[in-house]
Every structure is written in structure tokens, then in C-alpha cells.
Amino acid sequence: MYLMGDFEQLPDNIAISANIADIEEKRGFTSYFVFVIEVKTKGGSKYLIYRRYRQFHALQSKLEERFGPENKSNPFTCSLPTLPAKVYVGVKQEIAEMRIPALNAYMKSLLSLPIWVLMDEDVRIFFYQSPYDSEQVPQALRRLRPRTRKVKNESPQDAIFDRMAAPRAEALFDFTGNSKLELNFKAGDVIILLSRINKDWLEGTVRGATGIFPQSFVKILKDFPEEEDPTNWLRCYYYEDTISTTKDIAVEEELSSTPLFKDLMQLMRREFQREDIALNYRDAQGDLVRLLSDEDVGLMVKQAQGLPSQKHLFPWKLHITQKDDYRVYNTVP
């Protein structure tokens, strides 16, 4: 437990403002839009992150469970901002555009909450720039960025803040850096980890100082959470005459998701540049079964549940045949 009575004691990489600079269309089983968000940290750095609405929704659900008034076991509760509600009907781009002012207001309110919320692991991960974010090239940043607000110190007097949830390491030996970029510490110091520079060096903060240091000098007490690439892969087998080819298609959807039949068909027609195709899967006996409806897709996904699968690869596979080719089916009684 650490005494946190001053905002200045927070690490420099804590987000203090976030504004949506643009929206971009992405493709999963169907198209969707992500918000391109410019984040500014306490240390003054700026970067872009890419978030879907459902990521906002997942974060809000975790915060309500952890810090909402219904949690009687946590002494650190607060009034959380309201997230704009889900919209189920309408043009996706218009829905995304319409959400921008409300999401900007939501992030502004969220980053004005007490410091124990700012230091919450899920909040920090949400506003961190992941490797996936850093690899993206923004198509355009159409909106003027508002001036960064001044962050007020709203931490309660003598508040006790538990930073045990943050990634951290314990120093095994004294370390004295050779430059101003390196962090000095003593054996036994607990260092809050900020980032991994490479396989040998880390960045961290201790006693108000921030810098890099060799990982060999510390013992990791809690490592960084794994950054997940949102891209998963759908394995497809394409049959034409006597030739079969295999193709893995990138789909930015969760492995547990179940697509609609029409979206799946549209995706396959686009990928294989053919209109006259049929979608199939193999049943438990190894025979091809043609997909004709959402119910069929649901049965295919359900059958694949529990089957061993590679990471980032959907457990169910698609077999794409010519629409009028019935020779591929086992019609023997």
C-alpha cells in the first residue's frame, strides 16, 4: 500500500486526456468502425490508439463491477461516467460519427476520476498504445484537436492507494545508471514497471524517478499483461474441379463470435472473387454439409466448440465449393 496524496507521484505514462481524431472502417465478418483516439500522457507524450465501441463497453462493465456503488467490499468507490448506449439499427458510419461527442465526454470524465481509477490496470491497458496500435497508419485525422485540459488533483486527503495491481519488479541488486536515461535503485526497491524496451531492458519508476534498467537486476513480481493482436484467422479450403487450395483469411473478430450466413457468404465471395459458390463444413463423420442459413452456421460453430485449435485460428473451418457441384457430398445411404 502506498500513500498517494499528490497527482505528481503518478507515472509519466498515465493518460490525462484523450480525444477522438477520426473513425476508420475495418473488416471482420462484416465491416465495422474503430475510433482513432489521440492520447496525451502526464509526461507530455502523444500517440494514437484504435478502439471499437465494444472495448469501451467492456471497460465500463469492469469499472462498474470494481468501483461502482454496488461494490460494498471496496472502500474506493466513485461515481462513474455514463457510457452512450448501444445502437442496434442504423448506418454504421453514421452511428460511429454520432457517438464521437458522447465518447469524448466519457473519456474526459473518466480521466478526471480519482487516481486509484487512473492507475487501474484495465484503464491503463485501454489507453496504452499496444504494438498493434503503433503499427497502424491513420488514413486521415479530420478533427481539430481541442487543447489539452489541465488535470486537477482530486485525490482525497490521506487516501491509501493499492498499487499492487500494477506491473512491478523487486530490485535484486543496487544499480547505478551510466546516463540520465537510466534508473538508479537499491536492492529491495519495488519498481513500478512502465514498459518493456526489449528482451533485456525495462522502463520503470521508483521514488519519483523514471528511467530504463537491465531486467537481470530485478525479479519480476507482476509482469505486463499480454497484448493481444485483434486479428484472428479463418482457414478456408477452396475446391475447383480436382484442385483444392488452402487460404487463411484475416478476420478482426473474437474467436467465440458467430457470423451471420449472409456476412460469411459476402466475405467468401469477396475473397475468392466468385459469386457461384457454396459454403460447407465437415460434420463429425467427415462429410461435407452445405450451409444455407444462420441456424446452419450456429450448428457448425457449436460442433467445433471444445476442439483443439491453434492460437488466433477459428476452431471451425470453411469448405468452399462450386454451387452446382454436388459430387463433393456423400450421397451414399
CSV table of all heavy atoms in Angstrom, one decimal, residues 141-171:
chain,number,residue,atom,x,y,z
A,141,LEU,N,-6.8,12.4,-40.2
A,141,LEU,CA,-7.2,12.9,-38.9
A,141,LEU,C,-7.9,14.2,-39.1
A,141,LEU,O,-7.4,15.3,-39.3
A,141,LEU,CB,-6.0,13.1,-38.0
A,141,LEU,CG,-5.1,11.9,-37.7
A,141,LEU,CD1,-3.9,12.2,-36.8
A,141,LEU,CD2,-6.0,10.8,-37.0
A,142,ARG,N,-9.2,14.1,-39.2
A,142,ARG,CA,-10.1,15.2,-39.8
A,142,ARG,C,-10.4,16.2,-38.7
A,142,ARG,O,-10.7,17.3,-39.1
A,142,ARG,CB,-11.4,14.6,-40.3
A,142,ARG,CG,-11.2,13.7,-41.6
A,142,ARG,CD,-12.4,13.1,-42.0
A,142,ARG,NE,-12.9,12.1,-41.1
A,142,ARG,CZ,-14.2,12.0,-40.7
A,142,ARG,NH1,-15.1,12.8,-41.1
A,142,ARG,NH2,-14.5,11.0,-39.9
A,143,ARG,N,-10.4,15.9,-37.5
A,143,ARG,CA,-10.9,16.8,-36.5
A,143,ARG,C,-9.8,17.6,-35.9
A,143,ARG,O,-8.7,17.1,-35.6
A,143,ARG,CB,-11.7,16.0,-35.4
A,143,ARG,CG,-12.9,15.4,-35.9
A,143,ARG,CD,-13.6,14.5,-35.0
A,143,ARG,NE,-14.9,14.0,-35.6
A,143,ARG,CZ,-14.9,13.1,-36.5
A,143,ARG,NH1,-13.8,12.5,-37.0
A,143,ARG,NH2,-16.1,12.7,-37.0
A,144,LEU,N,-10.1,18.9,-35.6
A,144,LEU,CA,-9.2,19.7,-34.8
A,144,LEU,C,-9.1,19.2,-33.4
A,144,LEU,O,-10.1,18.9,-32.8
A,144,LEU,CB,-9.7,21.2,-34.8
A,144,LEU,CG,-9.7,21.9,-36.2
A,144,LEU,CD1,-10.3,23.2,-36.1
A,144,LEU,CD2,-8.3,22.0,-36.8
A,145,ARG,N,-7.9,19.1,-32.9
A,145,ARG,CA,-7.8,18.5,-31.6
A,145,ARG,C,-8.0,19.6,-30.6
A,145,ARG,O,-7.3,20.7,-30.6
A,145,ARG,CB,-6.4,17.9,-31.4
A,145,ARG,CG,-6.3,16.6,-32.2
A,145,ARG,CD,-5.1,16.6,-33.1
A,145,ARG,NE,-5.0,15.4,-33.9
A,145,ARG,CZ,-3.9,15.0,-34.4
A,145,ARG,NH1,-2.8,15.6,-34.2
A,145,ARG,NH2,-3.9,13.9,-35.1
A,146,PRO,N,-8.9,19.5,-29.6
A,146,PRO,CA,-9.0,20.5,-28.6
A,146,PRO,C,-7.8,20.6,-27.7
A,146,PRO,O,-7.0,19.6,-27.6
A,146,PRO,CB,-10.2,20.0,-27.8
A,146,PRO,CG,-10.3,18.6,-28.1
A,146,PRO,CD,-9.8,18.4,-29.4
A,147,ARG,N,-7.6,21.7,-27.1
A,147,ARG,CA,-6.4,21.9,-26.2
A,147,ARG,C,-6.5,21.0,-25.0
A,147,ARG,O,-7.6,20.7,-24.5
A,147,ARG,CB,-6.3,23.4,-25.7
A,147,ARG,CG,-6.1,24.4,-26.9
A,147,ARG,CD,-6.0,25.8,-26.3
A,147,ARG,NE,-5.0,25.9,-25.3
A,147,ARG,CZ,-4.8,27.0,-24.7
A,147,ARG,NH1,-5.6,28.1,-24.8
A,147,ARG,NH2,-3.8,27.1,-23.8
A,148,THR,N,-5.4,20.4,-24.6
A,148,THR,CA,-5.4,19.5,-23.5
A,148,THR,C,-5.8,20.2,-22.2
A,148,THR,O,-5.3,21.3,-21.9
A,148,THR,CB,-4.0,18.9,-23.3
A,148,THR,OG1,-3.6,18.3,-24.5
A,148,THR,CG2,-4.0,17.9,-22.2
A,149,ARG,N,-6.8,19.7,-21.5
A,149,ARG,CA,-7.2,20.3,-20.3
A,149,ARG,C,-6.2,20.2,-19.2
A,149,ARG,O,-5.3,19.3,-19.2
A,149,ARG,CB,-8.5,19.6,-19.8
A,149,ARG,CG,-8.3,18.2,-19.4
A,149,ARG,CD,-9.6,17.5,-19.0
A,149,ARG,NE,-9.3,16.1,-18.7
A,149,ARG,CZ,-8.9,15.7,-17.5
A,149,ARG,NH1,-8.8,16.5,-16.5
A,149,ARG,NH2,-8.7,14.4,-17.3
A,150,LYS,N,-6.2,21.0,-18.2
A,150,LYS,CA,-5.3,20.9,-17.1
A,150,LYS,C,-5.9,19.9,-16.1
A,150,LYS,O,-7.1,20.0,-15.7
A,150,LYS,CB,-5.2,22.3,-16.4
A,150,LYS,CG,-4.2,22.3,-15.2
A,150,LYS,CD,-4.1,23.7,-14.6
A,150,LYS,CE,-3.1,23.7,-13.4
A,150,LYS,NZ,-3.0,25.0,-12.8
A,151,VAL,N,-5.1,19.0,-15.7
A,151,VAL,CA,-5.6,17.9,-14.8
A,151,VAL,C,-5.6,18.4,-13.4
A,151,VAL,O,-4.6,18.9,-12.9
A,151,VAL,CB,-4.7,16.7,-14.9
A,151,VAL,CG1,-5.2,15.6,-13.9
A,151,VAL,CG2,-4.8,16.2,-16.3
A,152,LYS,N,-6.8,18.3,-12.7
A,152,LYS,CA,-6.9,18.7,-11.3
A,152,LYS,C,-6.5,17.6,-10.4
A,152,LYS,O,-6.8,16.4,-10.7
A,152,LYS,CB,-8.4,19.1,-11.1
A,152,LYS,CG,-8.8,20.3,-11.9
A,152,LYS,CD,-10.2,20.7,-11.6
A,152,LYS,CE,-11.2,19.7,-12.1
A,152,LYS,NZ,-12.6,20.1,-11.9
A,153,ASN,N,-5.9,17.9,-9.3
A,153,ASN,CA,-5.6,16.9,-8.3
A,153,ASN,C,-6.9,16.7,-7.4
A,153,ASN,O,-7.2,17.5,-6.6
A,153,ASN,CB,-4.4,17.4,-7.4
A,153,ASN,CG,-4.1,16.4,-6.4
A,153,ASN,OD1,-4.7,15.3,-6.3
A,153,ASN,ND2,-3.1,16.7,-5.5
A,154,GLU,N,-7.6,15.6,-7.7
A,154,GLU,CA,-8.8,15.3,-6.9
A,154,GLU,C,-8.7,14.2,-6.0
A,154,GLU,O,-9.6,13.6,-5.5
A,154,GLU,CB,-9.9,15.1,-7.9
A,154,GLU,CG,-10.2,16.2,-8.8
A,154,GLU,CD,-11.4,16.0,-9.7
A,154,GLU,OE1,-11.9,14.9,-9.7
A,154,GLU,OE2,-11.8,16.9,-10.5
A,155,SER,N,-7.4,13.8,-5.7
A,155,SER,CA,-7.2,12.6,-4.8
A,155,SER,C,-7.6,13.0,-3.4
A,155,SER,O,-7.3,14.1,-2.9
A,155,SER,CB,-5.8,12.2,-4.8
A,155,SER,OG,-4.9,13.3,-4.5
A,156,PRO,N,-8.4,12.2,-2.7
A,156,PRO,CA,-8.8,12.5,-1.3
A,156,PRO,C,-7.6,12.6,-0.4
A,156,PRO,O,-6.6,11.9,-0.5
A,156,PRO,CB,-9.7,11.4,-0.9
A,156,PRO,CG,-9.3,10.3,-1.8
A,156,PRO,CD,-8.8,10.9,-3.1
A,157,GLN,N,-7.7,13.5,0.6
A,157,GLN,CA,-6.6,13.6,1.6
A,157,GLN,C,-6.3,12.3,2.3
A,157,GLN,O,-7.2,11.7,2.7
A,157,GLN,CB,-6.9,14.8,2.6
A,157,GLN,CG,-5.7,15.1,3.5
A,157,GLN,CD,-6.1,16.3,4.3
A,157,GLN,OE1,-7.2,16.8,4.3
A,157,GLN,NE2,-5.1,16.8,5.1
A,158,ASP,N,-5.0,12.0,2.4
A,158,ASP,CA,-4.6,10.8,3.1
A,158,ASP,C,-5.2,9.5,2.5
A,158,ASP,O,-5.3,8.5,3.2
A,158,ASP,CB,-4.9,10.9,4.6
A,158,ASP,CG,-4.2,12.0,5.3
A,158,ASP,OD1,-3.0,12.3,4.8
A,158,ASP,OD2,-4.7,12.6,6.2
A,159,ALA,N,-5.5,9.6,1.2
A,159,ALA,CA,-6.1,8.3,0.6
A,159,ALA,C,-5.0,7.3,0.5
A,159,ALA,O,-3.9,7.5,0.2
A,159,ALA,CB,-6.6,8.7,-0.8
A,160,ILE,N,-5.4,6.1,0.8
A,160,ILE,CA,-4.5,4.9,0.6
A,160,ILE,C,-4.8,4.3,-0.7
A,160,ILE,O,-5.9,3.9,-1.0
A,160,ILE,CB,-4.7,3.9,1.8
A,160,ILE,CG1,-4.5,4.6,3.1
A,160,ILE,CG2,-3.8,2.7,1.6
A,160,ILE,CD1,-3.1,5.2,3.3
A,161,PHE,N,-3.7,4.1,-1.5
A,161,PHE,CA,-3.9,3.6,-2.8
A,161,PHE,C,-3.1,2.3,-3.0
A,161,PHE,O,-1.9,2.2,-2.6
A,161,PHE,CB,-3.5,4.6,-3.9
A,161,PHE,CG,-3.5,4.0,-5.3
A,161,PHE,CD1,-4.7,3.8,-5.9
A,161,PHE,CD2,-2.3,3.8,-5.9
A,161,PHE,CE1,-4.7,3.3,-7.2
A,161,PHE,CE2,-2.3,3.2,-7.2
A,161,PHE,CZ,-3.5,3.0,-7.8
A,162,ASP,N,-3.8,1.3,-3.4
A,162,ASP,CA,-3.1,0.0,-3.6
A,162,ASP,C,-2.6,-0.1,-5.0
A,162,ASP,O,-3.3,-0.3,-6.0
A,162,ASP,CB,-4.1,-1.1,-3.3
A,162,ASP,CG,-3.5,-2.5,-3.4
A,162,ASP,OD1,-2.3,-2.6,-3.7
A,162,ASP,OD2,-4.2,-3.5,-3.3
A,163,ARG,N,-1.2,-0.1,-5.2
A,163,ARG,CA,-0.6,-0.2,-6.5
A,163,ARG,C,-0.1,-1.6,-6.7
A,163,ARG,O,0.7,-1.9,-7.7
A,163,ARG,CB,0.5,0.8,-6.6
A,163,ARG,CG,0.0,2.2,-6.8
A,163,ARG,CD,1.0,3.0,-7.6
A,163,ARG,NE,2.2,3.4,-6.8
A,163,ARG,CZ,3.2,4.1,-7.3
A,163,ARG,NH1,3.2,4.5,-8.5
A,163,ARG,NH2,4.3,4.3,-6.5
A,164,MET,N,-0.5,-2.6,-5.9
A,164,MET,CA,-0.1,-3.9,-6.1
A,164,MET,C,-0.7,-4.5,-7.4
A,164,MET,O,-0.2,-5.5,-7.9
A,164,MET,CB,-0.5,-4.8,-4.9
A,164,MET,CG,0.1,-4.4,-3.6
A,164,MET,SD,1.9,-4.4,-3.6
A,164,MET,CE,2.1,-6.2,-3.5
A,165,ALA,N,-1.7,-3.8,-8.0
A,165,ALA,CA,-2.2,-4.3,-9.3
A,165,ALA,C,-1.3,-3.9,-10.4
A,165,ALA,O,-1.5,-4.5,-11.5
A,165,ALA,CB,-3.6,-3.8,-9.5
A,166,ALA,N,-0.4,-3.0,-10.3
A,166,ALA,CA,0.4,-2.5,-11.4
A,166,ALA,C,1.5,-3.5,-11.6
A,166,ALA,O,2.0,-4.1,-10.7
A,166,ALA,CB,0.9,-1.1,-11.0
A,167,PRO,N,2.0,-3.6,-12.9
A,167,PRO,CA,3.2,-4.4,-13.2
A,167,PRO,C,4.4,-3.8,-12.3
A,167,PRO,O,4.6,-2.6,-12.3
A,167,PRO,CB,3.4,-4.2,-14.7
A,167,PRO,CG,2.1,-3.8,-15.2
A,167,PRO,CD,1.4,-3.0,-14.1
A,168,ARG,N,5.1,-4.7,-11.7
A,168,ARG,CA,6.2,-4.2,-10.8
A,168,ARG,C,7.3,-5.3,-10.7
A,168,ARG,O,7.1,-6.4,-11.1
A,168,ARG,CB,5.6,-3.9,-9.4
A,168,ARG,CG,5.0,-5.1,-8.7
A,168,ARG,CD,4.1,-4.8,-7.6
A,168,ARG,NE,3.7,-5.9,-6.9
A,168,ARG,CZ,2.7,-6.7,-7.3
A,168,ARG,NH1,2.0,-6.5,-8.4
A,168,ARG,NH2,2.3,-7.8,-6.5
A,169,ALA,N,8.4,-4.8,-10.2
A,169,ALA,CA,9.6,-5.7,-10.0
A,169,ALA,C,10.3,-5.3,-8.7
A,169,ALA,O,10.3,-4.2,-8.3
A,169,ALA,CB,10.5,-5.6,-11.2
A,170,GLU,N,11.0,-6.3,-8.1
A,170,GLU,CA,11.8,-6.0,-7.0
A,170,GLU,C,13.3,-6.1,-7.3
A,170,GLU,O,13.8,-7.0,-8.0
A,170,GLU,CB,11.5,-7.1,-5.9
A,170,GLU,CG,12.4,-6.8,-4.6
A,170,GLU,CD,12.1,-7.9,-3.5
A,170,GLU,OE1,11.2,-8.8,-3.8
A,170,GLU,OE2,12.8,-7.9,-2.5
A,171,ALA,N,14.0,-5.1,-6.9
A,171,ALA,CA,15.5,-5.0,-7.2
A,171,ALA,C,16.2,-6.0,-6.5
A,171,ALA,O,16.1,-6.2,-5.3
A,171,ALA,CB,16.0,-3.6,-6.9
